[in-house]
Amino acid sequence: MAPQWSLLGDDILNIITERFDDIYDYARFGAVCKPWLSFSHRFYNQKKHLFRANHQLPLLVVPIEDHQQIRGLYNISTDTLCNQIQLTLPYKRCSGSSYGWLIFVDNKSAEIELLLINPFPSESEKSLIKLPPIICEDTVSKMDEYGVNKAVLSKDPNEFPNDFEVIAIYGGMQMLAHYKSGDQFWSYAKPTTEIHCFADVIFYKGMAYAVNFYSWIVRVYRKRFKQNPTGNSSPCFLRYKTICKRLPLSVCNYSGNAYLVETCKGELLHVRRDYITEESQMAMDEENEEEMKRVRAEYDARTQEEQDQIRQRIERESENQNVEDDEIRASQVEEMLFDEPHLSVNFTVFKLNYPSSRGQKSTETLNGEILFIGDNHSVSVPSSRCPNLSPNSIYYTDDYVDVYRLNLQFGSCDTGLFNIENKGFGKHFVPRFSAKGMPPPIFVVPRYRIKQC
């Protein structure tokens, strides 16, 4: 006689589901039979706050060899590739992952167009949203799939089609652009705004915040122009309210990357990622300072006539420099830059005091939570939901952007985990060397959507 699973009462089902660790257990549970699916729906509505997209264990979207348009899903908790699920995606870097959507750049000339792709759509949901072009005057650098360093959503566009926002970090100066559903154009900061070089953005408690590489944290909001600008442009511009002041410009204060993460308890964290050691940073600062002192002393010691002669000599030498020398020098620079990959050497975590007070304080624990960072919308998950992973750790993917093709030739190698309590490093997903040049992995949190029976 076959077991009558569908006849189990809610009290038994509740005991079963209380033992589940993450949202994927509920999805598998609901697939057993229609009564279990109905129970899963009721349970989800009762405890929906537990299943917010940014507090669930993410999967890794990884490239698959010899299949340029196909990506796989890798579960770092079980160390397995989900062979039954394959995603058809553009063969390029993904500029963001937020609320289950993947964000890609589809740039044309001086315009950068963003595509929002939902790789897990139901029959009634949108799988593709094309946003208006971002107007970028930077025509030299960052005009390929790195035209947008990162983009995040405020909400799921399928659940809130008329009430979602997008903030993108774009261009060589890494500025911010804001889009609200229904708008025809993006909103930008005024050209006179001095804050730039942004690293990450987050929507937190109904407001948007951004951090740059010098720990400058601002609240971002839109404001209307007094007079609507002429032409095809937004009637609004971006304003910034400083939450944490920028650190002094020095190598020691510059982070290789930075992230803003909301914890499961609703706190806001600032994570700094370093690619060179503190000792190296201090040595470089000292060298730069000594060099500046030497240059100032030499310049002050020269008369105006000597300065003119030196300037003329430099110009003549520059004009007479032949192409062969240029090629040799360029080759030497390229060899220096691409000699070895940039690997993370340290992570520092700060807890923000805002809005009770401004500023931030370093912390040596995540209170048992686990962070997942990279090009994705930063995720925090309680370790109780992923017992196979290391608590108080940061799981990260390779998102190096300064010389952005640097790590790709090594197979997107800067992927691993860092425990902030014992300062130890480890690995989770290690791409094969044959994956060099392929799009880097990115975390994604599939949305849990079920229909009531």
Side-chain angles (χ1 to χ4, degrees), residues 27 316 451:
R316 288 195 301 269
K451 297 180 180 179

Side-chain angles (χ1 to χ4, degrees), residues 307-321:
Q307 294 172 22
D308 292 340
Q309 291 176 353
I310 293 174
R311 189 180 299 107
Q312 293 173 5
R313 176 172 56 81
I314 292 175
E315 291 176 354
R316 288 195 301 269
E317 291 177 354
S318 178
E319 292 174 356
N320 295 330
Q321 196 172 36

Side-chain angles (χ1 to χ4, degrees), residues 121-132:
S122 65
E123 294 181 0
S124 61
E125 292 180 334
K126 289 184 177 180
S127 60
L128 177 66
I129 298 176
K130 188 173 184 179
L131 301 182

